[in-house]
Amino acid sequence: MSAYSIDSTTGYLTPVAGSAFAASGTAPASLAVDPNGQYLYVADNGSNDVSVYSIDSSTGALTPTGVPSATGSGPDAVIVDRTDSYVYVANLASNTVSAYTIASSTGLLTELSNSPFAVGAEPTSLKIDPNGNFLYVTDFSDGNVTVLAIDPATGSLSAISGSPFGAGVGAVSVAIDPTGGFAFVANETAATISEYSINASTGALTPLSGSPLASGTNPESLAVGPAGSYLYATNVTALNEVAAYSITPSSGALTLSGSPLAAGAFPISIVVDPSGLFAYVANENSADISVYAVEVSSGVLTPAAHSPFAAGGGPRSIAVD
């Protein structure tokens, strides 16, 4: 796994001493940093487990912690809840979500006794609403979104009324705006983005008028900036680009903001840093990371100087602490 320090002014990436770090499992597919920035959780698609690494707060170096915890088959996404109490893993090949409690002193995981939990066919991404009440899961083969209520006392999951909710063919990624009012789903095969309002009390999704939005290409990964004004989508057709959309505050409707920009080959994952000033894209087939400066008032992206930055072979996920 590659690790970098970030220049907060330019977005420039500098490899951390010792990077790339050896993975504990095989075929790491997804990364998540806990809210306190102490631990990195990695879903290992090839070895069917989730690994834990401590993060050196001074250097960013990674150190494996404990033994990887077993998951279902083909884990493809991992997320940590906002209270730093639970970890959830989407198991692509077994159509389940595994749930774990976190030991606060070590970061190590213990699977819940009633885990895993059934979801739709081929779960590919996970997102938790800002209030920490609901887990949203894209079901790639079903073209749906499964919504699960999170028990705050135990971390246990249960499907809400009306779940799953229809999306588009190849629902692959879900993003939620910081207010928790709107959700967006990238439908890779259908070449659309589904738009929803979220019922804050129940977690239910209601399609917005005009949804889904035709994206003109195959969206793979979505990220909303911390201000909630813009949505960013990577497109994995031969165009290999990243597009910015403005989010209408009153309705959640999306409008393309400027022209899409070139990315690397097969831009599979995008994240916006907490400052909202930079966006980072992992390009799986070109083995690098594209960096973009974000114009805060317009959401327009500009390639950062010296971008792209080299990564290891086949980067599939990117996270910023």
Side-chain angles (χ1 to χ4, degrees):
M1 291 176 294
S2 299
Y4 308 84
S5 61
I6 300 174
D7 185 304
S8 60
T9 302
T10 65
Y12 191 96
L13 299 179
T14 301
V16 166
S19 180
F21 296 92
S24 297
T26 58
S30 180
L31 311 174
V33 176
D34 79 292
N36 295 320
Q38 294 179 300
Y39 300 102
L40 176 72
Y41 296 90
V42 180
D44 300 314
N45 187 270
S47 49
N48 297 326
D49 52 35
V50 56
S51 302
V52 184
Y53 303 82
S54 62
I55 302 172
D56 188 299
S57 59
S58 299
T59 68
L62 302 176
T63 302
T65 301
V67 177
S69 300
T71 65
S73 181
D76 202 52
V78 60
I79 195 169
V80 186
D81 87 309
R82 70 187 186 103
T83 68
D84 207 6
S85 300
Y86 308 111
V87 164
Y88 300 98
V89 176
N91 303 306
L92 179 75
S94 55
N95 305 328
T96 60
V97 170
S98 298
Y100 308 83
T101 58
I102 301 173
S104 59
S105 59
T106 64
L108 295 179
L109 304 178
T110 300
E111 189 168 10
L112 272 59
S113 59
N114 56 343
S115 172
F117 301 89
V119 292
E122 294 191 311
T124 53
S125 74
L126 304 169
K127 190 66 68 176
I128 297 174
D129 74 289
N131 294 320
N133 296 322
F134 304 100
L135 178 68
Y136 294 80
V137 186
T138 54
D139 305 319
F140 184 85
S141 288
D142 287 342
N144 289 328
V145 181
T146 296
V147 184
L148 304 166
I150 301 172
D151 186 320
T154 66
S156 185
L157 303 173
S158 57
I160 70 166
S161 177
S163 180
F165 298 88
V169 181
V172 69
S173 178
V174 58
I176 296 175
D177 85 305
T179 71
F182 305 105
F184 308 95
V185 172
N187 304 305
E188 180 183 359
T189 310
T192 61
I193 298 174
S194 295
E195 308 154 286
Y196 308 88
S197 62
I198 300 175
N199 185 308
S201 298
T202 66
L205 299 177
T206 300
L208 301 183
S209 176
S211 178
L213 174 71
S215 60
T217 185
N218 305 97
E220 175 71 20
S221 180
L222 303 178
V224 177
S229 300
Y230 299 95
L231 174 80
Y232 301 95
T234 62
N235 302 316
V236 295
T237 60
L239 298 175
N240 290 324
E241 60 189 15
V242 57
Y245 298 85
S246 63
I247 302 172
T248 304
S250 58
S251 68
L254 300 176
T255 303
L256 187 65
S257 181
S259 300
L261 294 179
F266 207 89
I268 194 170
S269 178
I270 184 170
V271 64
V272 179
D273 83 313
S275 74
L277 297 178
F278 300 100
Y280 299 89
V281 174
N283 303 304
E284 183 176 15
N285 290 351
S286 51
D288 53 24
I289 297 170
S290 297
V291 181
Y292 305 88
V294 179
E295 209 294 309
V296 176
S297 62
S298 68
V300 170
L301 301 177
T302 302
H306 308 292
S307 176
F309 296 85
R316 289 184 52 82
S317 181
I318 189 165
V320 177
D321 74 359

